[in-house]
Amino acid sequence: MRVSITSLRARFLLSILLWVALGIGAIWYSSVRLFTTHVEDQYHEELEVHVRELGGLTELDARGSPQLTRPLSDPRYAESLSGFYWQITRPGFGELKSPSMTQGELDYDIAHSPKILHRVENGPTGATIVYGFLRDAPGGAPVHFVIATDERHLQRIISAFTRELTVWLALLALALLASGVAIITFGFRPFNRLTAAIDALRKGDERRIAGRYPDEIQAIVTDLNAYVDRNAEIVERGRVEASSLAHSLRTPLAVVTDEAELLLEAGQGDAARVFLDQSSRMQRQIDYHLARVRSGGSKAGVAPRARLDDVVPPLLDAMRRCHPGKTFSAHYPAGLSMPMDADDLSETLSNLLDNAGKWARSHVSIEAREAGGAHCIEVHDDGPGIAPDQRQTVFEIGHSNDSAHTGSGLGLSISRAIARDYGGELTLADAAQGGLRAVISLP
Ligand SMILES: Nc1ncnc2c1ncn2[C@@H]1O[C@H](COP(=O)(O)OP(=O)(O)OP(=O)(O)O)[C@@H](O)[C@H]1O
Ligand SMILES: [Mg+2]
């Protein structure tokens, strides 16, 4: 999955990341807060009960010293330095401490009111939550009841909960992110299909975008197909109109030429030659543009592939018949194809082969190859070649040095126009055998 910050996928992924982080963070914070309050409340309630129980179990003996009728029900008050302590003080009459309080002392002044009060104090084993109250006794001095619990007990419960919650929520976040990625992958599948379909359309493997898409995309696909159809229709109509225009011009042109020839016979040489010259220029232009209209390269952005094995052998057969006494050969990897319409490739090659056949002394060869996605096909001959300073002018429509062979001077210009339709180029160079090397290169 290719991801860049400008891609929709990346945006969705980023949004899901933020969404999960925000959601999980909020759940974590509020759970810890709620749990802490809840546990603290329960803790305090329990301590209040214990201090009340302590008060209930206390009696004063004959000398007025406080005594317990039985130990507190919670065994943690009996365990040495357990963090659970109590202390009963009657100033002047004596003091009782829980068996757990093997060291230290609690400040009995906390219990200075008959109402149960609490606060956090420094106890025998660190910070403690202390509860206490005061009860009047006969004969003056009141009895102070104090109960204390290490805060670390409370902290331990809260941090154990927080730890466990963090692990669980982290796992949940991972699961949510994984399902987010799965959703994005699933949701974007139609786009991947659409990209492939448009690619196939562009390469000419398909003429329309096929298949069913989700409603939101189907609307675009339908529009796109309508656009493609309409484009093909417009191109086709243009093609038909151009060729009918060319055909309708043929007859009047033939009449003009006939008339000019009659004028020539009648001795009106100067005027007749102007007519004949202009008529043949018109004829060449018509032939050139007709050939261009036939070219598949102008078909609505479609660029199919032509297999050389299908195109080249029949061309060579035809050339051997047209140019007896010359030999033709072809060299290219088996199965090689060119990114061109087969008819266009055939038209281009036949122009080049025909030229080479006309001018070669004895041999013409075709060579083709593909390297790094670029294609190249060359026609070599062993004729006189074309001087470098002539290599531009021979491409002009109607330019022909071919007085003996009656060429119309269109072959090279048509071939180059077709190569350019495919984003390629036709260039002329020296062949190894001394003749011309015509090179069609396609990106
Ligand atoms: N292989 C070649 N060797 C030498 N000269 C060439 C070769 N190919 C083309 N030329 C020169 O380039 C000119 C233009 O070629 P082009 O194919 O455009 O026209 P043509 O062959 O004269 O006519 P057409 O191909 O339209 O029947 C030719 O008249 C010829 O002088
Ligand atoms: Mg030619």
Side-chain angles (χ1 to χ4, degrees), residues 20 93-94 99 171 184 186 230 235 256 314 323 353 403 428:
V20 168
F93 292 89
L171 289 177
I184 289 176
F186 175 73
R230 174 134 181 78
V235 169
V256 170
H323 303 284
L353 285 170
S403 49
L428 302 176

Side-chain angles (χ1 to χ4, degrees), residues 355-356 358-359 381 385-386 394 399-402 407-412 436:
N355 285 350
K358 273 189 224 168
W359 298 93
D381 66 65
I386 299 177
V394 289
H399 179 96
S400 178
N401 296 336
D402 185 12
S408 56
L410 291 177
L412 286 179
L436 189 72

Side-chain angles (χ1 to χ4, degrees), residues 345-418:
L345 182 61
S346 197
E347 166 89 26
T348 316
L349 278 181
S350 72
N351 287 335
L352 299 179
L353 285 170
D354 183 51
N355 285 350
K358 273 189 224 168
W359 298 93
R361 272 186 292 108
S362 61
H363 186 68
V364 176
S365 69
I366 292 186
E367 277 176 25
R369 63 188 165 273
E370 193 230 311
H375 296 75
C376 175
I377 184 160
E378 305 183 349
V379 175
H380 302 225
D381 66 65
D382 56 1
I386 299 177
D389 62 341
Q390 283 290 302
R391 285 179 194 163
Q392 275 312 312
T393 40
V394 289
F395 281 112
E396 285 163 15
I397 297 173
H399 179 96
S400 178
N401 296 336
D402 185 12
S403 49
H405 298 85
T406 67
S408 56
L410 291 177
L412 286 179
S413 42
I414 291 172
S415 300
R416 182 161 75 174
I418 292 176

Side-chain angles (χ1 to χ4, degrees), residues 57-130:
L57 294 177
T58 305
E59 282 177 354
L60 297 180
D61 63 10
R63 285 181 290 116
S65 313
Q67 295 295 330
L68 274 192
T69 51
R70 62 166 175 84
L72 247 67
S73 47
D74 194 324
R76 287 173 296 186
Y77 291 101
E79 206 176 294
S80 170
L81 297 180
S82 64
F84 287 79
Y85 313 107
W86 56 256
Q87 183 180 311
I88 307 167
T89 315
R90 189 176 186 207
F93 292 89
E95 186 175 69
L96 267 182
K97 286 179 180 175
S98 66
S100 57
M101 203 151 77
T102 47
Q103 67 180 51
E105 184 126 18
L106 295 171
D107 178 8
Y108 65 82
D109 261 351
I110 295 158
H112 59 265
S113 153
K115 250 178 73 185
I116 298 177
L117 296 172
H118 85 271
R119 68 179 202 224
V120 175
E121 266 290 308
N122 216 15
T125 42
T128 45
I129 305 165
V130 184

